[in-house]
Amino acid sequence: MADTTVKIDTETRDRFAAVAAARGQTVKGYLADLAIEELNQVALGHATNSFRAAVTRPGVAEAFDRDFGGLPQHRVA
């Protein structure tokens, strides 16, 4: 894939460089990983909204409990 240039202010560039260095990455590698993480968060947000909409439908929560035994109990360590 070809490289390109993005214009950002030097303060932002320096922050990206500091984070990348702390992770042992190049800025290019860090930004590539960051873009993937952000896309995953967007997809997770869409999935969460779809799930919330689905469970508000009448009978869905009861069917889940019936078929899967309900949600697991949260244990405090």
Side-chain angles (χ1 to χ4, degrees):
M1 187 179 317
D3 290 345
T4 189
T5 301
V6 176
K7 292 188 180 239
I8 57 174
D9 61 83
T10 55
E11 187 176 318
T12 300
R13 180 207 57 207
D14 293 346
R15 282 195 300 253
F16 280 137
V19 173
R23 293 176 176 224
Q25 294 179 288
T26 63
V27 172
K28 179 180 176 179
Y30 168 67
L31 290 175
D33 289 349
L34 182 61
I36 291 168
E37 288 177 28
E38 289 299 316
L39 286 172
N40 288 341
Q41 287 301 311
V42 168
L44 181 59
H46 290 304
T48 299
N49 290 338
S50 295
F51 176 78
R52 286 184 177 148
V55 297
T56 61
R57 293 186 185 133
V60 171
E62 294 79 10
F64 180 88
D65 289 345
R66 181 192 67 237
D67 295 345
F68 298 101
L71 295 175
Q73 295 300 313
H74 178 68
R75 293 185 205 166
V76 178

Coordinates of all heavy atoms in Angstrom, one line a residue:
M1 N 0.9 -1.2 0.0 CA 0.0 0.0 0.0 C 0.9 1.2 0.0 O 1.9 1.3 0.7 CB -0.9 0.0 1.2 CG -1.9 1.0 1.2 SD -3.0 1.1 2.7 CE -3.5 -0.6 2.9
A2 N 0.5 2.2 -0.7 CA 1.3 3.4 -0.8 C 1.2 4.3 0.4 O 0.1 4.3 1.0 CB 0.9 4.2 -2.1
D3 N 2.2 5.0 0.7 CA 2.2 6.0 1.8 C 1.6 7.3 1.3 O 1.6 7.6 0.2 CB 3.6 6.3 2.4 CG 4.1 5.1 3.1 OD1 3.3 4.2 3.5 OD2 5.3 5.1 3.4
T4 N 1.1 8.1 2.3 CA 0.6 9.4 2.0 C 1.0 10.3 3.1 O 1.5 9.9 4.2 CB -1.0 9.4 1.8 OG1 -1.4 10.7 1.3 CG2 -1.7 9.1 3.1
T5 N 0.7 11.6 3.0 CA 1.0 12.6 4.0 C -0.3 13.2 4.6 O -1.2 13.4 3.8 CB 1.8 13.8 3.4 OG1 3.0 13.2 2.8 CG2 2.2 14.8 4.4
V6 N -0.3 13.3 5.9 CA -1.4 13.9 6.6 C -0.9 15.2 7.3 O 0.2 15.1 8.0 CB -2.0 13.0 7.6 CG1 -3.1 13.6 8.4 CG2 -2.5 11.7 6.9
K7 N -1.5 16.3 7.2 CA -1.0 17.5 7.8 C -1.7 17.6 9.2 O -2.9 17.7 9.3 CB -1.3 18.7 7.0 CG -0.4 18.7 5.7 CD -0.6 20.1 5.0 CE 0.3 20.0 3.8 NZ 1.3 21.0 3.8
I8 N -0.9 17.6 10.2 CA -1.4 17.9 11.6 C -0.4 18.8 12.3 O 0.7 19.0 11.8 CB -1.4 16.5 12.4 CG1 -0.1 15.8 12.4 CG2 -2.5 15.6 11.8 CD1 0.0 14.6 13.3
D9 N -0.9 19.4 13.4 CA 0.0 20.4 14.1 C 1.1 19.6 14.8 O 1.0 18.4 15.0 CB -0.8 21.2 15.0 CG -1.5 20.4 16.1 OD1 -0.8 20.0 17.1 OD2 -2.7 20.1 15.9
T10 N 2.2 20.3 15.1 CA 3.3 19.6 15.7 C 3.1 19.0 17.0 O 3.6 18.0 17.4 CB 4.6 20.6 15.7 OG1 4.2 21.7 16.4 CG2 5.0 20.9 14.3
E11 N 2.2 19.7 17.8 CA 1.9 19.2 19.1 C 1.2 17.8 19.0 O 1.5 16.9 19.8 CB 1.0 20.2 19.9 CG 0.7 19.8 21.3 CD -0.1 20.9 22.0 OE1 0.1 22.1 21.8 OE2 -1.0 20.5 22.8
T12 N 0.3 17.7 18.1 CA -0.4 16.4 17.9 C 0.6 15.3 17.4 O 0.6 14.2 17.8 CB -1.6 16.5 16.9 OG1 -2.5 17.5 17.4 CG2 -2.3 15.2 16.7
R13 N 1.4 15.7 16.4 CA 2.5 14.8 15.9 C 3.3 14.3 17.1 O 3.6 13.1 17.2 CB 3.3 15.5 14.9 CG 4.4 14.6 14.3 CD 5.6 15.4 13.8 NE 6.2 16.2 14.9 CZ 6.9 17.3 14.7 NH1 7.1 17.7 13.5 NH2 7.4 18.0 15.7
D14 N 3.7 15.2 17.9 CA 4.6 14.8 19.1 C 3.9 13.9 20.0 O 4.5 13.0 20.6 CB 5.1 16.1 19.8 CG 6.0 16.9 19.0 OD1 6.5 16.4 17.9 OD2 6.3 18.1 19.4
R15 N 2.6 14.1 20.2 CA 1.8 13.2 21.1 C 1.7 11.8 20.5 O 1.9 10.8 21.2 CB 0.4 13.8 21.4 CG 0.4 14.8 22.4 CD -1.0 15.1 22.9 NE -1.9 15.6 21.8 CZ -2.3 16.8 21.6 NH1 -2.0 17.7 22.5 NH2 -3.1 17.1 20.6
F16 N 1.4 11.8 19.2 CA 1.4 10.5 18.5 C 2.8 9.8 18.6 O 2.9 8.6 18.9 CB 1.0 10.6 17.0 CG -0.4 10.8 16.8 CD1 -0.9 11.7 15.8 CD2 -1.4 10.0 17.4 CE1 -2.2 11.9 15.6 CE2 -2.7 10.1 17.1 CZ -3.2 11.1 16.2
A17 N 3.8 10.5 18.4 CA 5.2 9.9 18.5 C 5.5 9.4 19.9 O 6.1 8.3 20.0 CB 6.2 11.0 18.1
A18 N 5.1 10.1 20.9 CA 5.3 9.7 22.3 C 4.5 8.4 22.6 O 5.1 7.5 23.2 CB 4.9 10.8 23.3
V19 N 3.3 8.4 22.2 CA 2.5 7.1 22.4 C 3.1 6.0 21.7 O 3.2 4.9 22.2 CB 1.0 7.4 22.1 CG1 0.2 6.1 22.1 CG2 0.4 8.4 22.9
A20 N 3.4 6.2 20.4 CA 4.0 5.1 19.6 C 5.3 4.6 20.2 O 5.5 3.4 20.3 CB 4.3 5.6 18.2
A21 N 6.2 5.5 20.7 CA 7.4 5.1 21.3 C 7.2 4.3 22.5 O 7.9 3.3 22.8 CB 8.3 6.4 21.6
A22 N 6.2 4.8 23.3 CA 5.9 4.0 24.6 C 5.4 2.6 24.3 O 5.6 1.7 25.1 CB 4.9 4.8 25.4
R23 N 4.9 2.4 23.2 CA 4.4 1.1 22.8 C 5.4 0.3 21.9 O 5.1 -0.8 21.5 CB 3.1 1.2 21.9 CG 1.9 1.8 22.7 CD 0.7 1.9 21.8 NE -0.4 2.4 22.6 CZ -1.6 1.9 22.5 NH1 -1.8 0.9 21.5 NH2 -2.6 2.3 23.2
G24 N 6.5 0.9 21.7 CA 7.6 0.3 20.9 C 7.2 0.2 19.4 O 7.6 -0.8 18.7
Q25 N 6.4 1.2 18.9 CA 6.0 1.2 17.6 C 6.5 2.4 16.8 O 6.8 3.4 17.5 CB 4.4 1.2 17.5 CG 3.8 0.0 18.0 CD 2.2 0.1 17.9 OE1 1.6 0.9 18.7 NE2 1.6 -0.6 17.0
T26 N 6.4 2.4 15.5 CA 6.6 3.6 14.7 C 5.2 4.3 14.8 O 4.2 3.8 15.1 CB 6.9 3.3 13.3 OG1 5.8 2.6 12.7 CG2 8.2 2.4 13.2
V27 N 5.3 5.6 14.4 CA 4.1 6.4 14.3 C 3.1 5.8 13.3 O 1.9 5.6 13.5 CB 4.3 7.9 14.0 CG1 3.0 8.6 13.8 CG2 5.1 8.5 15.2
K28 N 3.7 5.4 12.1 CA 3.0 4.8 11.1 C 2.2 3.5 11.6 O 1.0 3.3 11.3 CB 3.9 4.4 9.9 CG 3.2 3.7 8.7 CD 4.2 3.4 7.6 CE 3.6 2.7 6.5 NZ 4.6 2.4 5.4
G29 N 3.0 2.6 12.3 CA 2.4 1.4 12.8 C 1.3 1.7 13.9 O 0.3 1.1 13.9
Y30 N 1.6 2.7 14.7 CA 0.6 3.0 15.8 C -0.7 3.6 15.2 O -1.7 3.2 15.5 CB 1.2 4.1 16.7 CG 0.2 4.7 17.6 CD1 -0.4 3.9 18.6 CD2 -0.2 6.0 17.5 CE1 -1.4 4.5 19.4 CE2 -1.1 6.6 18.3 CZ -1.7 5.8 19.3 OH -2.7 6.4 20.1
L31 N -0.5 4.4 14.2 CA -1.7 5.0 13.5 C -2.5 3.9 12.8 O -3.8 4.0 12.8 CB -1.4 6.2 12.6 CG -0.9 7.4 13.3 CD1 -0.4 8.5 12.3 CD2 -1.9 8.0 14.3
A32 N -1.8 3.0 12.2 CA -2.5 1.9 11.5 C -3.3 1.1 12.5 O -4.5 0.7 12.3 CB -1.5 1.0 10.8
D33 N -2.7 0.7 13.7 CA -3.4 0.0 14.7 C -4.5 0.8 15.3 O -5.6 0.3 15.6 CB -2.4 -0.4 15.8 CG -1.4 -1.5 15.4 OD1 -1.6 -2.1 14.4 OD2 -0.5 -1.7 16.2
L34 N -4.3 2.1 15.5 CA -5.3 3.0 16.1 C -6.6 3.0 15.2 O -7.7 3.0 15.6 CB -4.8 4.4 16.3 CG -5.7 5.4 16.9 CD1 -6.2 5.0 18.3 CD2 -5.0 6.8 17.0
A35 N -6.3 3.1 13.9 CA -7.5 3.1 12.9 C -8.3 1.8 13.0 O -9.5 1.9 13.0 CB -6.9 3.3 11.5
I36 N -7.6 0.7 13.1 CA -8.3 -0.6 13.2 C -9.1 -0.6 14.5 O -10.3 -1.0 14.6 CB -7.3 -1.8 13.1 CG1 -6.8 -1.9 11.7 CG2 -8.0 -3.1 13.6 CD1 -5.6 -2.8 11.6
E37 N -8.5 -0.2 15.6 CA -9.2 -0.2 16.9 C -10.4 0.7 16.9 O -11.5 0.4 17.4 CB -8.3 0.3 18.0 CG -7.2 -0.6 18.4 CD -6.2 -0.1 19.4 OE1 -6.6 0.8 20.2 OE2 -5.1 -0.5 19.5
E38 N -10.3 1.9 16.2 CA -11.4 2.8 16.2 C -12.6 2.2 15.3 O -13.7 2.4 15.6 CB -11.0 4.2 15.6 CG -10.2 4.9 16.6 CD -10.9 5.2 17.9 OE1 -12.1 5.6 17.9 OE2 -10.3 5.0 19.0
L39 N -12.2 1.6 14.2 CA -13.2 0.9 13.4 C -13.9 -0.2 14.1 O -15.1 -0.3 14.0 CB -12.6 0.4 12.1 CG -12.2 1.4 11.0 CD1 -11.4 0.8 9.9 CD2 -13.5 2.1 10.5
N40 N -13.2 -0.9 14.9 CA -13.8 -2.0 15.8 C -14.7 -1.4 16.8 O -15.8 -1.9 17.1 CB -12.7 -2.8 16.5 CG -12.0 -3.7 15.5 OD1 -12.4 -4.0 14.5 ND2 -10.8 -4.1 16.0
Q41 N -14.4 -0.2 17.4 CA -15.2 0.5 18.3 C -16.5 0.9 17.7 O -17.6 0.9 18.3 CB -14.5 1.6 19.0 CG -13.5 1.2 20.0 CD -14.0 0.4 21.1 OE1 -15.0 0.7 21.7 NE2 -13.4 -0.8 21.4
V42 N -16.4 1.4 16.5 CA -17.6 1.9 15.7 C -18.5 0.6 15.5 O -19.7 0.7 15.7 CB -17.2 2.5 14.4 CG1 -18.5 2.7 13.5 CG2 -16.6 3.9 14.6
A43 N -17.9 -0.5 15.0 CA -18.7 -1.7 14.8 C -19.3 -2.2 16.1 O -20.5 -2.6 16.1 CB -17.8 -2.8 14.2
L44 N -18.6 -2.1 17.2 CA -19.1 -2.6 18.5 C -20.3 -1.7 18.9 O -21.3 -2.2 19.4 CB -18.0 -2.5 19.5 CG -18.4 -3.0 20.9 CD1 -18.9 -4.4 20.9 CD2 -17.2 -2.9 21.9
G45 N -20.2 -0.4 18.6 CA -21.3 0.5 19.0 C -22.5 0.2 18.2 O -23.6 0.2 18.7
H46 N -22.4 -0.1 16.9 CA -23.5 -0.5 16.1 C -24.1 -1.8 16.6 O -25.4 -1.9 16.7 CB -23.1 -0.7 14.6 CG -22.8 0.6 13.9 ND1 -23.7 1.7 13.9 CD2 -21.7 1.0 13.3 CE1 -23.1 2.7 13.2 NE2 -21.9 2.3 12.8
A47 N -23.3 -2.8 16.9 CA -23.8 -4.0 17.4 C -24.5 -3.9 18.8 O -25.5 -4.5 19.0 CB -22.6 -5.0 17.6
T48 N -23.9 -3.0 19.6 CA -24.6 -2.7 20.9 C -25.9 -2.1 20.7 O -26.9 -2.5 21.4 CB -23.7 -1.8 21.8 OG1 -22.4 -2.5 22.0 CG2 -24.3 -1.5 23.1
N49 N -26.0 -1.2 19.8 CA -27.3 -0.5 19.6 C -28.3 -1.5 19.0 O -29.5 -1.5 19.4 CB -27.2 0.7 18.6 CG -26.4 1.8 19.3 OD1 -26.4 1.9 20.5 ND2 -25.8 2.7 18.5
S50 N -27.9 -2.4 18.1 CA -28.8 -3.4 17.6 C -29.2 -4.4 18.7 O -30.4 -4.7 18.7 CB -28.1 -4.2 16.5 OG -27.8 -3.3 15.4
F51 N -28.3 -4.8 19.5 CA -28.7 -5.7 20.6 C -29.7 -5.0 21.5 O -30.7 -5.6 21.9 CB -27.4 -6.1 21.4 CG -27.7 -6.9 22.6 CD1 -28.0 -8.3 22.5 CD2 -27.7 -6.4 23.9 CE1 -28.3 -9.1 23.6 CE2 -28.0 -7.1 25.0 CZ -28.3 -8.5 24.8
R52 N -29.4 -3.8 21.9 CA -30.4 -3.1 22.8 C -31.8 -3.0 22.2 O -32.8 -3.1 22.9 CB -29.8 -1.7 23.1 CG -28.7 -1.7 24.1 CD -28.2 -0.4 24.5 NE -27.2 -0.5 25.5 CZ -26.2 0.3 25.7 NH1 -26.1 1.4 24.9 NH2 -25.3 0.2 26.6
A53 N -31.8 -2.7 20.9 CA -33.1 -2.6 20.2 C -33.8 -4.0 20.2 O -35.0 -4.1 20.4 CB -32.9 -2.1 18.8
A54 N -33.0 -5.0 20.0 CA -33.6 -6.4 19.9 C -34.2 -6.8 21.2 O -35.3 -7.4 21.3 CB -32.5 -7.4 19.4
V55 N -33.4 -6.6 22.3 CA -33.9 -7.1 23.6 C -35.1 -6.3 24.2 O -35.7 -6.7 25.1 CB -32.8 -7.1 24.7 CG1 -31.7 -8.1 24.2 CG2 -32.2 -5.8 25.0
T56 N -35.4 -5.2 23.5 CA -36.6 -4.5 24.0 C -37.9 -5.0 23.3 O -39.0 -4.6 23.8 CB -36.5 -2.9 23.7 OG1 -36.4 -2.8 22.3 CG2 -35.3 -2.3 24.4
R57 N -37.7 -5.9 22.4 CA -38.9 -6.4 21.7 C -39.6 -7.4 22.7 O -38.9 -8.2 23.4 CB -38.5 -7.2 20.4 CG -38.0 -6.2 19.4 CD -37.7 -7.0 18.1 NE -37.1 -6.0 17.1 CZ -36.1 -6.3 16.4 NH1 -35.5 -7.5 16.4 NH2 -35.6 -5.4 15.6
P58 N -40.9 -7.4 22.7 CA -41.6 -8.3 23.6 C -41.2 -9.8 23.5 O -41.2 -10.3 22.3 CB -43.1 -8.1 23.3 CG -43.1 -6.7 22.6 CD -41.8 -6.6 21.9
G59 N -40.9 -10.4 24.6 CA -40.6 -11.8 24.6 C -39.2 -12.2 24.3 O -38.8 -13.4 24.5
V60 N -38.3 -11.3 23.8 CA -37.0 -11.7 23.5 C -36.2 -12.0 24.7 O -35.5 -13.1 24.8 CB -36.3 -10.5 22.7 CG1 -34.8 -10.8 22.5 CG2 -36.9 -10.4 21.3
A61 N -36.2 -11.2 25.8 CA -35.5 -11.5 27.0 C -36.0 -12.8 27.6 O -35.2 -13.7 28.1 CB -35.6 -10.4 28.0
E62 N -37.3 -13.1 27.6 CA -37.8 -14.3 28.2 C -37.3 -15.5 27.3 O -37.0 -16.6 27.9 CB -39.3 -14.2 28.2 CG -39.9 -13.2 29.2 CD -39.8 -11.8 28.6 OE1 -39.6 -11.6 27.4 OE2 -40.0 -10.8 29.4
A63 N -37.3 -15.4 26.0 CA -36.9 -16.5 25.2 C -35.4 -16.8 25.4 O -35.0 -17.9 25.4 CB -37.1 -16.1 23.7
F64 N -34.6 -15.7 25.6 CA -33.2 -15.9 25.9 C -33.0 -16.7 27.2 O -32.2 -17.6 27.3 CB -32.5 -14.6 26.0 CG -31.0 -14.7 26.3 CD1 -30.1 -14.9 25.2 CD2 -30.5 -14.7 27.6 CE1 -28.7 -15.0 25.5 CE2 -29.2 -14.8 27.8 CZ -28.3 -15.0 26.8
D65 N -33.7 -16.2 28.2 CA -33.6 -16.9 29.5 C -34.1 -18.4 29.4 O -33.4 -19.3 30.0 CB -34.5 -16.2 30.6 CG -33.9 -14.9 31.0 OD1 -32.8 -14.6 30.7 OD2 -34.7 -14.1 31.6
R66 N -35.1 -18.6 28.7 CA -35.6 -20.0 28.5 C -34.6 -20.8 27.7 O -34.3 -22.0 28.2 CB -36.9 -19.9 27.7 CG -37.6 -21.3 27.5 CD -38.7 -21.3 26.5 NE -38.2 -21.0 25.1 CZ -38.6 -20.0 24.4 NH1 -39.5 -19.1 24.8 NH2 -38.1 -19.8 23.2
D67 N -34.1 -20.3 26.7 CA -33.2 -21.1 25.8 C -31.7 -21.2 26.3 O -31.1 -22.2 26.1 CB -33.1 -20.5 24.4 CG -34.5 -20.6 23.7 OD1 -35.4 -21.4 24.2 OD2 -34.7 -19.9 22.7
F68 N -31.3 -20.2 27.1 CA -29.9 -20.2 27.5 C -29.7 -20.1 29.0 O -28.6 -20.0 29.5 CB -29.1 -19.0 26.8 CG -29.1 -19.1 25.3 CD1 -30.0 -18.4 24.6 CD2 -28.3 -20.0 24.7 CE1 -30.0 -18.5 23.2 CE2 -28.2 -20.1 23.3 CZ -29.1 -19.3 22.5
G69 N -30.8 -20.2 29.7 CA -30.6 -20.2 31.2 C -30.4 -18.8 31.8 O -29.9 -18.7 32.9
G70 N -30.6 -17.8 31.1 CA -30.4 -16.4 31.6 C -28.9 -16.0 31.5 O -28.1 -16.7 31.1
L71 N -28.7 -14.8 32.0 CA -27.3 -14.3 32.0 C -26.6 -14.9 33.1 O -27.1 -15.1 34.2 CB -27.4 -12.7 32.1 CG -28.0 -12.0 31.0 CD1 -28.1 -10.5 31.3 CD2 -27.2 -12.2 29.7
P72 N -25.2 -15.0 33.0 CA -24.4 -15.5 34.1 C -24.4 -14.5 35.2 O -24.5 -13.3 35.0 CB -23.1 -15.7 33.5 CG -23.0 -14.9 32.2 CD -24.5 -14.8 31.8
Q73 N -24.3 -15.0 36.4 CA -24.2 -14.2 37.6 C -22.8 -13.5 37.6 O -21.8 -14.2 37.4 CB -24.5 -14.9 38.9 CG -25.9 -15.5 38.9 CD -26.9 -14.4 38.9 OE1 -26.8 -13.4 39.6 NE2 -27.9 -14.5 38.1
H74 N -22.7 -12.3 37.9 CA -21.5 -11.6 38.0 C -20.8 -11.9 39.4 O -21.5 -11.7 40.4 CB -21.7 -10.1 37.9 CG -20.4 -9.3 38.0 ND1 -19.4 -9.3 37.1 CD2 -20.0 -8.4 39.0 CE1 -18.4 -8.5 37.4 NE2 -18.8 -7.9 38.6
R75 N -19.6 -12.3 39.3 CA -18.9 -12.7 40.6 C -17.9 -11.5 40.9 O -17.2 -11.1 40.0 CB -18.1 -14.0 40.4 CG -18.9 -15.1 40.3 CD -18.1 -16.4 40.2 NE -18.8 -17.4 39.5 CZ -18.3 -18.5 39.1 NH1 -17.0 -18.8 39.3 NH2 -19.0 -19.4 38.5
V76 N -17.9 -11.1 42.1 CA -16.9 -10.1 42.6 C -15.7 -10.8 43.2 O -15.9 -11.7 44.0 CB -17.6 -9.2 43.6 CG1 -16.6 -8.2 44.1 CG2 -18.8 -8.5 43.0
A77 N -14.6 -10.5 42.6 CA -13.3 -11.2 43.1 C -12.9 -10.7 44.4 O -13.1 -9.6 44.8 CB -12.2 -11.1 42.1

